[in-house]
Amino acid sequence: MNISSDFEQAHLGFSVNRYGQQRMNTLVTGGAGFLGSHLCRQLLQSGHKVLCIDNLMTGRMENIHDLIGNNNFLFQQHDIVDPIEITQSLDRIYNLACPASPPQYQKDPIHTFKTCVLGAMNMLELARRKGARILQASTSEVYGDPQVMPQAEGYFGNVNTCGPRACYDEGKRSAETLFHDYHHAHDVDIRIARIFNTYGPSMSPEDGRVISNFVVQALSGQDITVMGDGSQTRSFCYRDDLVRGLMSFMEHPQKIAEPVNFGRPDEYTVLMIAEKIIDLTESKSRIVFKPLPVDDPKRRRPDISKAQSLLSWTPVTSLEDGLAATIAHFSALAAEQAEQVNSDACVV
Ligand code: NAD
Ligand code: UDP
């Protein structure tokens, strides 16, 4: 596919942003998704030009509706499994395209694996041809069900190659290998960000991950579905902190080709998260227990000392503040939907 005479035209004649910094032509894959849409917005606010590519599998146009019409932004629907030609010069590529929620990435595991591997290959080829720096959104899932706590980048992980999570975990591991090899074989300037569980506003209510599920359930008075006995742990980072970290990693002047963890190191059981969300929403929802999914990791907590020392990055948003912002977002969405239903009923 050949994209973007529009992008090319939109980009002629600009090389410096309003801060006098170099204006980057930036490609964001997965830019209509939860993290990608926030990243697109932050890049535009920093004065860069953004080409957003997404197949809209889990991403939504609502996430980027305010960006459509911005002269520095172009959206193109495209699946990164298929090769892409872009005539415009590119300085940066953020490769975020891939469903991240287990129920979503398990719907079509072969496509998920292709997205991770063929998608990474296509983006690396593009980076090589354009001389662009490229950042891969990797994941804490490369550690699988970890046997060491906390997980530092030197840990090789404990992943089942044949389980229901393998399409994602092994796909992301293979993508890291491809990044590493393109760096060594073709001197592509790569960044590999291992992202731990991140949540926040603009998650889809249908996403299926724990925080969005619990918030939607608590606000609508449905049962809160805790998998297993809820003793498994995760560490939750707020969206804005994470995206700030990715941008500073991308722009770090030193070539950092080794993976770097991004996450918030506080560890909570899933049951604690359910109780906290019930408290914060003052919900009457009951907690119900469902079977633990196969290969669900028992504990996860990032060691972020590398990000702290290399980038001076540290997450600053507390779980309470992040949850409050997320709850406010889902409440507003529910109110909008209720208003829509009422006005439809009036029309009838
Ligand atoms: P998301 O599902 O909201 O966003 C993924 C986006 O990629 C969606 O817009 C989707 O439509 C798009 N996409 C999927 N497959 C595609 C394909 N083949 N071609 C083009 N577009 C495609 O998920 P997210 O939480 O925003 O995650 C973004 C990235 O960060 C993913 O690569 C994910 O693996 C990684 N990550 C996220 C987390 C997290 O907790 N949010 C943790 C670890 C890694
Ligand atoms: N989980 C849960 N109820 C839900 C969704 C998820 O108890 O409605 C659990 C899930 O089994 C896992 C944890 O919450 O133990 C985090 O799940 P999520 O899908 O958010 O992320 P991941 O498992 O990929 O870390």
Side-chain angles (χ1 to χ4, degrees):
M1 182 170 189
N2 191 330
I3 293 192
S4 83
S5 57
D6 287 356
F7 186 61
E8 190 156 27
Q9 296 214 336
H11 287 66
L12 285 177
F14 297 95
S15 58
V16 173
N17 69 15
R18 64 179 179 278
Y19 309 110
Q21 299 156 334
Q22 192 191 348
R23 185 193 286 279
M24 302 287 179
N25 284 348
T26 305
L27 169 62
V28 178
T29 75
F34 159 54
L35 293 177
S37 56
H38 187 66
L39 174 62
C40 288
R41 206 162 281 109
Q42 295 307 109
L43 287 166
L44 288 167
Q45 270 175 22
S46 303
H48 300 300
K49 297 198 169 251
V50 177
L51 171 58
C52 165
I53 289 179
D54 202 298
N55 68 356
L56 299 179
M57 196 177 179
T58 52
R60 300 171 302 151
M61 289 308 288
E62 296 106 277
N63 283 343
I64 50 168
H65 70 92
D66 56 316
L67 308 182
I68 303 291
N70 181 328
N71 285 338
N72 293 326
F73 181 78
L74 186 73
F75 170 75
Q76 186 75 42
Q77 189 164 350
H78 174 77
D79 193 311
I80 63 160
V81 165
D82 300 320
I84 191 167
E85 246 340 299
I86 294 173
T87 46
Q88 172 64 29
S89 68
L90 279 181
D91 306 300
R92 302 284 184 262
I93 302 174
Y94 286 87
N95 186 35
L96 270 64
C98 187
S101 161
Q104 304 293 341
Y105 69 64
Q106 288 169 20
K107 275 185 189 161
D108 186 350
I110 295 171
H111 189 262
T112 298
F113 194 75
K114 282 183 174 173
T115 295
C116 291
V117 179
L118 299 179
M121 182 89 90
N122 288 330
M123 290 308 123
L124 282 161
E125 271 302 317
L126 193 59
R128 186 179 66 81
R129 288 199 301 276
K130 299 287 180 185
R133 186 179 294 172
I134 180 166
L135 180 146
Q136 165 69 354
S138 190
T139 168
S140 54
E141 297 283 342
V142 300
Y143 303 121
D145 188 6
Q147 308 292 292
V148 303
M149 291 293 295
Q151 293 85 55
E153 291 85 350
Y155 177 50
F156 289 169
N158 174 40
V159 180
N160 177 2
T161 57
C162 293
R165 300 175 82 97
C167 58
Y168 183 76
D169 299 7
E170 290 295 333
K172 290 282 186 178
R173 285 170 69 94
S174 306
E176 286 198 7
T177 306
L178 277 168
F179 269 68
H180 172 86
D181 290 341
Y182 265 76
H183 173 65
H184 286 282
H186 301 299
D187 201 27
V188 174
D189 187 354
I190 60 158
R191 313 282 149 126
I192 299 173
R194 288 187 180 156
I195 304 169
F196 285 65
N197 297 64
T198 303
Y199 68 98
S202 67
M203 292 184 92
S204 160
E206 284 88 40
D207 181 273
R209 279 174 278 182
V210 66
I211 297 230
S212 50
N213 268 11
F214 286 180
V215 170
V216 169
Q217 290 163 343
L219 289 173
S220 58
Q222 298 168 58
D223 291 346
I224 308 270
T225 52
V226 167
M227 305 301 173
D229 61 5
S231 63
Q232 68 275 30
T233 68
R234 296 291 187 273
S235 303
F236 294 97
C237 187
Y238 187 60
R239 175 198 69 180
D240 299 31
D241 286 332
L242 188 275
V243 166
R244 180 172 48 81
L246 296 186
M247 289 171 69
S248 99
F249 189 22
M250 180 67 115
E251 292 313 324
H252 196 277
Q254 199 183 316
K255 284 191 178 179
I256 307 169
E258 315 83 42
V260 177
N261 285 342
F262 288 87
R264 189 178 167 87
D266 310 330
E267 191 180 352
Y268 295 89
T269 68
V270 165
L271 194 55
M272 285 162 80
I273 296 294
E275 285 161 352
K276 208 174 253 298
I277 289 175
I278 289 175
D279 273 358
L280 289 170
T281 52
E282 299 177 2
S283 173
K284 301 265 180 297
S285 291
R286 294 177 314 148
I287 292 178
V288 296
F289 294 90
K290 303 269 182 188
L292 189 68
V294 174
D295 290 339
D296 199 292
K298 286 178 271 312
R299 286 187 69 185
R300 183 182 290 154
R301 176 157 58 95
D303 177 336
I304 58 163
S305 35
K306 199 166 171 184
Q308 283 173 323
S309 64
L310 281 174
L311 311 171
S312 306
W313 176 82
T314 203
V316 294
T317 313
S318 67
L319 183 66
E320 287 70 21
D321 288 349
L323 284 178
T326 309
I327 290 166
H329 161 81
F330 280 108
S331 298
L333 203 67
E336 252 172 55
Q337 280 164 355
E339 206 171 297
Q340 186 63 44
V341 169
N342 282 341
S343 69
D344 289 352
C346 288
V347 170
V348 170

